Amino acid sequence: EAQVTQNPRYLITVTGKKLTVTCSQNMNHEYMSWYRQDPGLGLRQIYYSMNVEVTDKGDVPEGYKVSRKEKRNFPLILESPSPNQTSLYFCASSPLTLVRPDSPLHFGNGTRLTVT
Amino acid sequence: AQSVTQLGSHVSVSEGALVLLRCNYSSSVPPYLFWYVQYPNQGLQLLLKYTSAATLVKGINGFEAEFKKSETSFHLTKPSAHMSDAAEYFCAVSDQGGKLIFGQGTELSVKP
């Protein structure tokens, strides 16, 4: 089954304790992206990757890191989480490329992160 | 820079009534526009997309949207609401370079 898999689904942590949220897709998509969803703000893009070893900042990259060492995986790293990073996070992948910019996103089921 | 505005964070309709969810965009290039739906505790799913082939776009579950360049709008409609349509709906615009900008979302409630 074609899917985007995020882990964990729920995570509670404390301020400053490094964490990683994993994301994997099995559709051989070039494009992957991370979003955070907050009430009243919709989805805001954190980072995206057009291909392996290529990553770019979205609208809210501060406090986050990503890496794209292989096509299927795109982990989100919070080196020193803070309470304002408490949010619902979504990973997405797409066949989107510069010559196929209308390709839709396929989303994972989300990771709800709480930082105390 | 691209931006998206969804008018109304909550919309409530009766079952069988018309659904109208509003989306206005701004874009410095010809836009690619999308509507996504999010059911509780799930990720987003594509409803439909506009790619300049036709101004009236039909999507899944009986939804459609009309692209109006003069009004910079891409409103989502469904002639007759069903209880299963209750969800949050997001309009989005692509900048063609990999950035997808989402609106704030509209929560649709359907009353029996």
Side-chain angles (χ1 to χ4, degrees):
Chain A
E1 179 188 354
Q3 59 186 359
V4 178
T5 303
Q6 294 179 230
N7 280 298
R9 286 296 305 275
Y10 300 92
L11 180 57
I12 300 174
T13 189
V14 296
T15 299
K17 186 176 182 181
K18 181 179 178 179
L19 66 90
T20 299
V21 184
T22 63
C23 175
S24 180
Q25 52 96 3
N26 62 1
M27 294 169 279
N28 201 37
H29 287 163
E30 302 283 343
Y31 180 95
M32 297 186 75
S33 183
W34 277 101
Y35 294 86
R36 60 178 289 173
Q37 183 179 11
D38 301 289
L41 298 177
L43 276 79
R44 293 178 292 168
Q45 193 171 39
I46 302 171
Y47 272 94
Y48 63 99
S49 170
M50 298 291 285
N51 209 332
V52 175
E53 302 292 1
V54 178
T55 62
D56 285 290
K57 295 177 179 179
D59 294 317
V60 289
E62 295 77 19
Y64 304 95
K65 285 177 56 178
V66 293
S67 68
R68 188 89 183 275
K69 292 184 171 59
E70 26 176 16
K71 185 182 277 192
R72 65 181 290 122
N73 295 322
F74 192 45
L76 179 69
I77 303 158
L78 285 71
E79 295 269 4
S80 183
S82 62
N84 65 11
Q85 293 178 297
T86 292
S87 187
L88 179 58
Y89 291 86
F90 286 100
C91 180
S93 73
S94 173
L96 184 155
T97 63
L98 291 179
V99 295
R100 294 180 60 188
D102 61 333
S103 299
L105 295 173
H106 299 256
F107 283 84
N109 284 328
T111 295
R112 187 167 293 281
L113 172 64
T114 301
V115 184
T116 61
Chain B
Q2 278 73 17
S3 68
V4 175
T5 301
Q6 291 183 238
L7 298 175
S9 57
H10 291 90
V11 170
S12 182
V13 301
S14 298
E15 192 171 20
L18 171 72
V19 175
L20 171 60
L21 305 182
R22 300 178 187 273
C23 172
N24 289 89
Y25 71 91
S26 69
S27 176
S28 55
V29 297
Y32 293 105
L33 295 160
F34 306 82
W35 275 100
Y36 285 86
V37 60
Q38 183 181 31
Y39 299 104
N41 299 315
Q42 294 185 27
L44 282 72
Q45 305 171 31
L46 180 70
L47 265 181
L48 49 81
K49 66 177 181 180
Y50 167 75
T51 59
S52 78
T55 56
L56 184 62
V57 182
K58 294 188 183 302
I60 61 171
N61 301 337
F63 284 93
E64 61 182 35
E66 186 172 10
F67 173 70
K68 292 187 176 180
K69 184 177 180 180
S70 61
E71 298 177 9
T72 61
S73 69
F74 190 56
H75 301 332
L76 181 71
T77 60
K78 181 174 181 177
S80 177
H82 191 273
M83 297 296 291
S84 61
D85 295 327
E88 189 156 20
Y89 292 80
F90 293 91
C91 182
V93 62
S94 168
D95 75 345
Q96 304 182 26
K99 295 187 71 172
L100 192 63
I101 310 299
F102 284 85
Q104 304 92 321
T106 298
E107 185 171 353
L108 175 66
S109 301
V110 182
K111 298 175 292 187

